[in-house]
Amino acid sequence: MTANELDEILTCHWPAVLRRVMADGSDEWVQGFAKSIARQGKRPGWRPTPKQAWIMRRLVADLAAGAGDTLELIER
């Protein structure tokens, strides 16, 4: 994972991934992973392992694939 790709994922996509994972009742491992990446991403010089990078890309892709889902309205 390049530094630019990591920056883009952590800055633009990871907050949305984290919100979705916490809100949709994903399993505890995925929730823990997402929170862990959010914490580790704040450390200067941190780089994800190849396995972490693969999972991060997969979660971002899942978020993009679910973008067409119906949106929840605040008011009904």
Side-chain angles (χ1 to χ4, degrees), residues 1-75:
M1 180 176 287
T2 65
N4 288 339
E5 183 182 10
L6 179 60
D7 286 344
E8 179 183 345
I9 287 174
L10 290 176
T11 305
C12 300
H13 303 292
W14 207 252
V17 168
L18 193 57
R19 280 191 302 272
R20 174 173 251 184
V21 166
M22 300 310 277
D24 74 359
S26 295
D27 67 22
E28 290 181 25
W29 187 89
V30 174
Q31 291 178 352
F33 177 81
K35 288 191 282 187
S36 173
I37 294 299
R39 278 192 308 270
Q40 292 179 49
K42 294 177 184 178
R43 293 190 347 229
W46 174 79
R47 304 284 298 171
T49 65
K51 187 172 183 178
Q52 286 174 325
W54 183 85
I55 296 169
M56 289 170 69
R57 286 185 184 113
R58 181 68 188 171
L59 288 172
V60 170
D62 288 348
L63 178 70
D69 292 346
T70 59
L71 299 174
E72 278 293 318
L73 299 176
I74 295 172
E75 296 181 36

